[in-house]
Each structure stands twice: as structure tokens, then as C-alpha cells.
Amino acid sequence: MTTVKTLLGLPGLRLRPRAGAELLDRPVTRIYVTELPDPGRYLSAGELVLSGLLWWRRPGDAEPFVAALARSGAAALAASGADSGGIPGDVVEACERHRIPLLEVPADLSFSVITEQVVLALAAASESARKRLQAAADAPVETLLERASAELGLPCWVLSGLGRVVAGTSPLPVPAPDVVRRYAAKEAGSLTVVPVEGRHAVPWLVAVGGPLTTAQAELAEELAGLVGVTRARSVPPDVEVPDEAHVVALRTEGSDESRDVLRELLPDGLLLESTGDTSYAAVRRWPGSAGLSTVEPLLRASRILCGVGDSAPRAEAAATARYALEVAAGRTGRVVVVQAGEVDPHRLLLAGAPEGLRAALRRRVLGPLLDYDAEQHTDLVHTVRVFLECSGSPTRAAKALHVHVNTLRYRIGRAGELLGADLTEFTDQLDVYLALRTEE
């Protein structure tokens, strides 16, 4: 990393500090030459600003110029007093006040020489930084980030596409899911984000704390490549999950990404089974599904469906997860998550039945009633359903349907005749209600 102190040591430049001697460790990212009285709109963080002070005419002129440097995060001001009879005192005072290191340029030194020397120093530092980073290629991700952060002079993080912070050199200043969403939407943010190379369905991202120069961007790309290599050679840890646990079933419709997504979603889970678009894993604690909505725009899958089984012996938990997944498949939305505890038991049972069996059950139990409605243009099926959902109460059902209670009793009696069932008896009510729910 090139710092202001580095420039003081360059042979032939003979730069001399006049202010901010305690700030010479600031990193320098590029050089910018200006004679504008207020160059703020053209400056960026980390720049060495080189000026012949042609903008200075009288005391007070230094304040807006130096204030602009401070607002932009400039590394230092290198100034020549050849045309102003030396560096004016208010320039020195303004630099002290705004904490901008001030370097005096010898009157006989050409700006082209300074520019050439600084550019060469930055290029050499960039190449050395790449080599130092590559020397840590076999290190863990945490070590790679520490090395890169030291070279860039900026904090670094690795994020999972699910919005999880894999590693970082400091607390992330914004929520990780927001960083991923902005990246997916190609929106600008306060961080620079670079994708990590690799063939994993769920991408990792390198985030760096701030805008980058060309040299810094190249180093960030190098970091992303090394993190990708580290991820590719990592072996999933052995995990122990008790036999009584949650089982999570995940389906990525239209793609084979379910295995990778489930592993990222449940890093502490035990993968049980994977068959292309659907995978199962056991986990001690269900962490929630927020990450699925975050990663969805980055996947090829048309939809993500997830069923979460109750905490139970593994075989039972797997069964309820499978049924919850089928319930999720029947709902709309690009990301649908259903926990078994949210679903009525009879719906879990029906969701687990093959589609052909559900259709046969519906036809077997409701066939005569369906045919009657089709021929007579009536809707006795709806009447029966409302009656059963009102717990078999004629009064409540009649009120819900806005008919007289005697009309309701007549319709229920007629439906019972067609079905060959007594709709006031619990067992017949149960059979008919399950048949009515098969279409869900």
C-alpha cells in the first residue's frame, strides 16, 4: 500500500511536510492536478492533490479549496509556492484545521516528474499487493480478508447470496441482505461488490467498504478469485443431528439448485437426500426462511418451495416436511415456505396423497352431487361445504348463505340423498369434507 509517507521517501522528489505530520500513514490511491479554486466535484477519496496554488490570490482563498479536499477524503495536498512567493500561511493553517497533510514541492521540480514518480510507485505497490495476497492463497477466508483489507486500506467482507456474512474484517455497516438485493438489482450502494468465482448455485460475494480505484478494483477481483478457490476446496463439516429434529424439504422448480441452496440455508444441517430439484436435510433448529427471498433473484429456478417438518423422530419429521412441501406447491408466489405446524392435519394428509388418488376420492364421494349440479345448474356442492364449515349448524349455514333455514335444510337433505350419506352424522360429514378439500 502506498501512503503519504511513502511519497516522502521517493528519490528525487524532495517533498517536505508542512502540516499534518501525524497523518502521513494515509493511503494514496491516485494523483490529481488542479488549479481550480473549488475542485470538490472532481475529487475522490485517497487522491494526492497536486497544485501550483494559482487559485490563491489573497488570504482566505485557502479555506474553500482545503475544505473541498477534506470533504472528498483526499489523502494529502502537495503544493508548490513557486508562483506565490512560498506557501501562504493561510494554506498551512487551513490544512491543519481540516486535517489534510500538506507537502511542499521544491520550486525547481516539474509536476510531470512528480506525476511520473507517483504513478510508478502506485503501480509497483499494486503489483506487490497482488503478490502478497497470492502468497496467502492457501489460507482461510478470514486470513485472505485481513490481508486484502491491509492492502486496500478498506474493510472487506464475504457474503453468501442468502444474505449471510461468511467472514469480515469489521461489522458490516448495512444489513447483508440489502447488499445482496442491491447487487442482484444492479443498484449502486455504499459498498463495492464483486462476485466470487465458482460453480456453486448460491453465489458468494466480496464486498469492500467504499468506491475503488482501478488498482484497488483489480486487487478486489484477485481476492474474489482466491476466495472462490478456497470455497471450492473446502469440505462440508461433519455435523451431528439428533434423530429427533426438524426436517426441511426444499424444491427449486426448473433447476437442480436445491442441494446447494439447502446447504447454504442450513450450514449446521445434515443432508439426507437430494434428487435434482428437491432435497431434504435435518437440522436441530429451523433458522427461518428470510434468506430464500434474498437469493431467489440470483438463481435459475422459477420458484423456491420449502416445507418444514415438526421436530420429531426423523422419519416422522421427513413425512410432515414432504406433506408441507406439497402444500407449498399448491400456493402462489416465487418463494413459498410452509411449516407443518401451520397446516391443519387433514390438509397434511391430503397433500401427501398422490394427485390421482385425490381425484379418485373426490369422484367416488362427490360424483353424484357434482353431476347433479352440472345438469341442474345448481351449486349444492357449495351449500354442503358451507354447512360443514359451520360445524353442521343449519342456522349458521343459512345465515352465511343468506337463505331461510328451511331452505338450507331442504338442500342438505337433497344433497344427502344424492350422496347416499347422512350429513348430520360425523363419519359421513368427515368423508364428504375430506373429499371437498381434495382440490386444494
Side-chain angles (χ1 to χ4, degrees), residues 20 46 56 60 75 84 87 138 185 191 258 301 318 329 344 347 371-372 391 434:
W56 191 88
S84 56
I87 296 180
D138 295 330
L191 307 178
S258 64
D344 294 333
R347 295 185 65 191
D371 292 341
Y372 180 84
S391 303
L434 286 176

Side-chain angles (χ1 to χ4, degrees), residues 146-162:
E146 290 172 1
R147 295 282 183 90
S149 178
E151 299 293 347
L152 293 168
L154 296 168
C156 301
W157 302 268
V158 172
L159 311 178
S160 161
L162 284 157

